[in-house]
């Protein structure tokens, strides 16, 4: 495959956009080469500026769980756009998507919509701090909760890919209120709580981690956190920006039967438009302005195009009882196929997966936290990434990212991908 036009477009972009990209995860710095410029996408495929067709395992980093340009979502956006694109006044549509989301997600009464996952997590933490009247939070190394200051402490995703898990520009004053814990390590969390009595407002985590590869919680980890939070008056925040409406209708709360106090959403909930949201029971949500004292706002929050896309997406997922099983079966098929060929080619690897999330790590040890994820062999990953790209398979340009399986992928696409992995891994 040739990427001539993409290279030209990137050179032009670099002159006027830092690094040529509006989000660092789109850069190819970690794998070498230049980013691919996309022209359009449909179903499971991307079509780039050079006319190449790629099977897409990024899917806009999560939102496109039904595949690209899903017809009901596209139609909903077109119809709404004709009626005006933003009002800064309430619309009935906002109530419709809120009612459906609250019905699908366990243990929440009210939801507020924002414009990104970052805003959702930032607002959820402010609300938790206001509600508990405490300042500190616990986050886990390798978990990513968007780019707001409090979270750029040992952050995952692009923050770790580009070597700035602790970003300059975050003040020491802010950083001191974020306590860092190890994923899947309850004892570590207990120690932090004991060392900071009555000071911790919230524990925030990805209840299935997806920003250091895919790392499911080990047995009793989430239960243990729930118990600790309840015992110490700490709010448990599930950042389900990646997992919400993806691993089950009601996200990880439903999947593992654990109740969080606050839940953050993004990605799937917007159907591919810029949407985030956070939700909780009445007593917590009513602490928000205009009812309560914690301030949070947004000129474009609840935007009609975004709400129309999100509603069409949630309705489709809510009405399709088999979708999450279908996705999990495709993931299991892909995982088994990849494991078979990598083993046959004597590659050292570990795979993790759950539902429609999967990651391949080039290390023999189990990947259960940030430290074990960081052990993966990046030189092999680079060959893997560029090899797959040559075959027409697009995965994230970083070893720290999850692949997303969509409903649009066929078993032919999966077989094609497995064959590509076979071919590429023979060259390692
Ligand atoms: C993507 C992501 C975010 C940030 O969402 P943005 O819409 O990029 O701001 C937060 N938390 C998790 C778990 C994510 O995967």
């Amino acid at each position: 495959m040739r990427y001539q036009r993409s290279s030209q477009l990137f050179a032009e972009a670099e002159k006027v956009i830092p690094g040529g990209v509006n989000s660092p995860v789109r850069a190819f710095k970690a794998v070498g080469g230049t980013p691919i410029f996309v022209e359009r996408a449909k179903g499971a495929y991307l079509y780039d500026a050079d006319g190449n067709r790629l099977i897409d395992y990024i899917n806009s980093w999560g939102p496109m769980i039904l595949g690209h340009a899903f017809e009901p979502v596209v139609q909903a956006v077109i119809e709404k756009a004709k009626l005006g694109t933003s009002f800064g006044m309430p619309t009935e549509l906002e109530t419709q998507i809120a009612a459906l989301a609250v019905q699908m997600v366990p243990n929440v009464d009210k939801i507020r919509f924002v414009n990104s996952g970052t805003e959702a997590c930032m607002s959820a933490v402010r609300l938790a701090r206001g509600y508990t009247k405490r300042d500190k939070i616990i986050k886990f190394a390798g978990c990513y909760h968007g780019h707001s200051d409090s979270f750029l402490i040992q952050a995952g995703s692009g923050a770790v890919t580009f070597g700035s898990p602790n970003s300059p520009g975050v003040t020491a004053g802010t950083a001191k209120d974020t306590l860092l814990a190890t994923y899947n390590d309850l004892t570590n969390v207990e120690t932090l709580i004991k060392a900071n009595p009555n000071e911790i407002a919230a524990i925030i985590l990805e209840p299935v981690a997806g920003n250091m590869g895919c790392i499911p919680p080990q047995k009793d980890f989430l239960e243990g956190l729930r118990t600790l939070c309840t015992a110490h008056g700490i709010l448990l925040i599930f950042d389900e920006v990646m997992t919400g409406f993806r691993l089950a209708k009601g996200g990880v709360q439903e999947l593992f039967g654990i109740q969080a106090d606050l839940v953050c959403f993004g990605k799937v909930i917007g159907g591919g438009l810029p949407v985030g949201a956070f939700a909780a029971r009445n007593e917590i949500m009513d602490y928000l302005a205009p009812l309560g004292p914690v301030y949070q706002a947004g000129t474009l929050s609840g935007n009609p195009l975004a709400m129309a896309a999100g509603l069409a997406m949630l309705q489709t997922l809510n009405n399709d009882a088999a979708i999450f099983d279908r996705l999990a079966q495709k993931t299991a098929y892909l995982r088994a196929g990849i494991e078979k060929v990598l083993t046959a080619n004597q590659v050292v690897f570990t795979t993790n997966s759950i539902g429609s999330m999967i990651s391949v790590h080039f290390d023999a040890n189990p990947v259960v936290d940030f430290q074990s994820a960081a052990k993966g062999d990046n030189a092999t990953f680079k060959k893997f990434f560029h090899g797959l790209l040559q075959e027409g398979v697009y995965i994230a340009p970083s070893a720290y990212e999850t692949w997303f399986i969509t409903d649009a992928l066929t078993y032919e696409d999966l077989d094609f991908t497995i064959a590509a992995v076979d071919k590429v891994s023979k060259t390692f």
Side-chain angles (χ1 to χ4, degrees):
M1 292 208 184
R2 291 167 61 87
Y3 296 100
Q4 208 170 1
R5 178 95 184 111
S6 275
S7 298
Q8 285 166 359
L9 291 172
F10 182 62
E12 285 164 33
E14 273 186 302
K15 292 179 195 159
V16 285
I17 300 171
V21 291
N22 278 314
S23 187
V25 293
R26 299 173 197 169
F28 274 26
K29 265 179 86 174
V31 289
T34 53
I36 292 165
F37 277 60
V38 65
E39 214 159 72
R40 66 190 172 88
K42 182 70 188 171
Y45 310 120
L46 296 167
Y47 299 87
D48 74 10
D50 288 280
N52 301 311
R53 191 197 85 171
L54 304 167
I55 300 180
D56 186 13
Y57 286 99
I58 303 184
N59 289 292
S60 185
W61 304 88
M64 320 315 296
I65 191 170
L66 302 171
H68 290 284
F70 182 69
E71 210 51 45
V73 171
V74 172
Q75 279 312 317
V77 173
I78 290 171
E79 289 310 311
K80 274 294 160 196
K82 292 177 188 161
L83 306 176
T85 57
S86 180
F87 312 114
M89 294 166 74
T91 59
E92 186 181 357
L93 188 55
E94 290 161 82
T95 311
Q96 288 169 347
I97 184 172
L100 179 56
V102 162
Q103 178 207 314
M104 290 170 78
V105 176
N107 198 38
V108 301
D109 297 317
K110 293 197 175 96
I111 184 164
R112 172 145 304 163
F113 285 90
V114 292
N115 306 289
S116 66
T118 296
E119 272 184 77
C121 296
M122 176 185 86
S123 307
V125 162
R126 184 185 306 135
L127 179 55
R129 285 174 163 153
Y131 185 79
T132 59
K133 301 181 175 58
R134 297 173 177 182
D135 287 345
K136 292 185 177 168
I137 58 168
I138 292 179
K139 88 169 275 287
F140 294 87
C143 279
Y144 182 69
H145 306 294
H147 63 92
S148 126
D149 287 2
S150 303
F151 303 126
L152 290 181
I153 316 286
Q154 289 283 307
S157 187
V160 57
T161 305
F162 301 108
S164 45
N166 307 302
S167 175
V170 176
T171 65
T174 298
K176 81 167 172 26
D177 287 328
T178 300
L179 308 176
L180 195 65
T182 303
Y183 202 79
N184 275 324
D185 185 347
L186 261 188
T187 316
N188 179 218
V189 176
E190 242 179 313
T191 309
L192 285 175
I193 294 173
K194 283 204 181 111
N196 298 271
N198 301 315
E199 287 189 278
I200 296 167
I203 295 177
I204 183 166
L205 82 159
E206 297 177 57
V208 165
N211 284 292
M212 44 182 165
C214 167
I215 303 186
Q218 289 177 335
K219 196 178 170 313
D220 300 335
F221 180 57
L222 298 179
E223 288 91 330
L225 291 178
R226 176 68 273 172
T227 306
L228 282 171
C229 283
T230 305
H232 295 277
I234 297 168
L235 297 187
L236 181 60
I237 306 179
F238 275 8
D239 175 357
E240 298 224 42
V241 170
M242 187 182 284
T243 54
F245 308 100
R246 166 172 291 282
L247 293 186
K249 271 188 207 179
V252 176
Q253 284 199 102
E254 177 188 320
L255 193 64
F256 291 131
I258 312 265
Q259 298 195 328
D261 297 305
L262 269 156
V263 193
C264 307
F265 297 106
K267 300 193 169 119
V268 174
I269 201 174
L273 272 80
V275 180
F278 57 106
R281 296 182 306 273
N282 284 323
E283 65 265 30
I284 297 175
M285 290 309 274
D286 291 351
Y287 218 74
L288 269 184
L291 289 179
V294 172
Y295 198 70
Q296 184 279 323
T299 300
L300 292 173
S301 293
N303 172 271
L305 303 192
M307 295 297 97
L311 182 62
M313 177 67 104
L314 295 196
Q315 281 171 336
T316 304
L317 296 174
N318 194 43
N319 292 336
D320 186 346
I323 180 147
F324 297 106
D325 284 341
R326 222 161 45 232
L327 288 166
Q329 278 160 18
K330 286 180 187 174
T331 309
Y333 182 86
L334 181 66
R335 180 177 178 171
I338 289 176
E339 287 182 345
K340 192 172 160 212
V341 298
L342 289 182
T343 304
N345 293 330
Q346 295 173 344
V347 177
V348 173
F349 72 97
T350 302
T351 51
N352 282 352
S353 72
I354 180 167
S356 52
M357 295 162 63
I358 176 169
S359 59
V360 180
H361 304 260
F362 294 107
D363 190 69
N365 298 305
V367 173
V368 297
D369 58 14
F370 178 67
Q371 223 192 346
S372 45
K375 283 188 183 140
D377 178 356
N378 208 48
T380 306
F381 180 80
K382 281 187 198 177
K383 287 188 226 161
F384 187 59
F385 172 82
H386 282 291
L388 287 181
L389 196 54
Q390 277 309 314
E391 297 301 313
V393 175
Y394 192 51
I395 63 169
S398 161
Y400 291 103
E401 304 287 357
T402 296
W403 313 18
F404 298 106
I405 305 305
T406 81
D407 202 37
L409 279 165
T410 63
Y411 280 86
E412 288 72 40
D413 295 325
L414 299 175
D415 284 336
F416 182 91
T417 304
I418 294 162
V421 171
D422 185 26
K423 185 171 168 193
V424 170
S425 58
K426 281 186 166 59
T427 67
F428 285 175

